[in-house]
Amino acid sequence: MTDTISTLHESALDPATATLRHRQPAGEPWLTEIKQGQTMRILDLEGNQAVDIIFYNRHDVAEHYSASDTLLEQGSIYLSTGSVLLSNEGRPMLTIVADTCGRHDTLGGACAAESNTVRYALQKKFMHSCRDNYLLAIAQVDAGLSKRDLVPNINFFMNVPVTPEGGLTFADGVSAPGKYVELRAEMDLWMLVSNCPQLNNPCNAYNPTPVEFIIWDGA
């Protein structure tokens, strides 16, 4: 297990010098470009808001973030400072260069009609989900993506401990208002975001909240 304390690292970047500041509403999707060399901060404005993201090579969307390659390379199931996010071709996509939260989930996946039914109740099936958000985003932007391109994602700011028996526990978050994670892009990317609309998980007090993306150009 990653030692959360040892991976905490603050950034020296000043938001006043950023190229872009984007406030993402609670529960909403977003698909945008990130350029190689840019640094992106994801800011948890109110605390414990899961931000579900998939990254793709902007010039070849068949190359995408790979949870399995990333976990095998770093030898940990959690992401934090120093973690390198690898693609399904084994190439670095992004590097986490700063993190004041200390743990980000790679196993819990994105909520969907099916998981809402299994985890919560049959009548939750038609509640809005991250998978719905992904489909909405790729329908609105011509990035060459389709539903078959949806792969396992990262849940930034989400805490999903693994039990000794190998099960997943959707626990209270370890984030708080103002916590952030910062990543440097190692290639040109598409970033597919669902600012999770989940209303059934107590980790965010059953209340999805907005987050902010801050992007700086490379040197």
Side-chain angles (χ1 to χ4, degrees), residues 105-179:
D105 169 60
T106 57
L107 300 178
C111 59
E114 295 79 7
S115 62
N116 282 342
T117 301
V118 171
R119 291 176 186 165
Y120 306 112
L122 182 61
Q123 61 267 33
K124 307 292 187 180
K125 178 177 181 179
F126 300 104
M127 295 185 72
H128 194 48
S129 68
C130 285
R131 181 174 172 81
D132 292 339
N133 269 346
Y134 288 152
L135 294 173
L136 286 169
I138 63 180
Q140 293 169 357
V141 178
D142 184 13
L145 293 166
S146 71
K147 64 181 180 181
R148 69 179 58 188
D149 296 305
L150 299 182
V151 297
N153 61 287
I154 303 168
N155 295 309
F156 288 102
F157 307 115
M158 194 167 180
N159 182 28
V160 185
V162 177
T163 68
E165 296 75 26
L168 299 181
T169 305
F170 290 84
D172 286 345
V174 294
S175 187
K179 298 287 187 181

Side-chain angles (χ1 to χ4, degrees), residues 14-51:
D14 182 356
T17 65
T19 301
L20 173 70
R21 298 190 68 165
H22 171 80
R23 185 181 177 93
Q24 183 65 14
E28 293 298 314
W30 189 36
L31 177 58
T32 192
E33 298 178 17
I34 306 293
K35 297 177 182 178
Q36 182 179 13
Q38 288 187 322
T39 297
M40 173 187 65
R41 180 182 298 178
I42 311 170
L43 177 61
D44 190 2
L45 293 170
E46 298 184 32
N48 293 330
Q49 172 58 30
V51 187

Side-chain angles (χ1 to χ4, degrees), residues 6-78:
S6 66
T7 63
L8 296 179
H9 180 73
E10 294 191 8
S11 170
L13 293 176
D14 182 356
T17 65
T19 301
L20 173 70
R21 298 190 68 165
H22 171 80
R23 185 181 177 93
Q24 183 65 14
E28 293 298 314
W30 189 36
L31 177 58
T32 192
E33 298 178 17
I34 306 293
K35 297 177 182 178
Q36 182 179 13
Q38 288 187 322
T39 297
M40 173 187 65
R41 180 182 298 178
I42 311 170
L43 177 61
D44 190 2
L45 293 170
E46 298 184 32
N48 293 330
Q49 172 58 30
V51 187
D52 295 35
I53 300 182
I54 308 173
F55 296 100
Y56 301 87
N57 180 335
R58 187 157 57 85
H59 306 291
D60 178 11
V61 296
E63 183 176 13
H64 53 73
Y65 165 73
S66 170
S68 57
D69 287 277
T70 299
L71 301 193
L72 283 170
E73 178 68 20
Q74 71 169 359
S76 173
I77 60 174
Y78 305 115

Side-chain angles (χ1 to χ4, degrees), residues 15-16 42-43 67 80 85 91 94 117 132 151 155 164 175 177 182 187 192 195 202 213 217:
I42 311 170
L43 177 61
S80 190
L85 280 56
R91 300 201 301 156
L94 304 103
T117 301
D132 292 339
V151 297
N155 295 309
S175 187
E182 214 166 80
M187 63 172 68
L192 179 59
N195 191 22
F213 290 85
D217 284 338

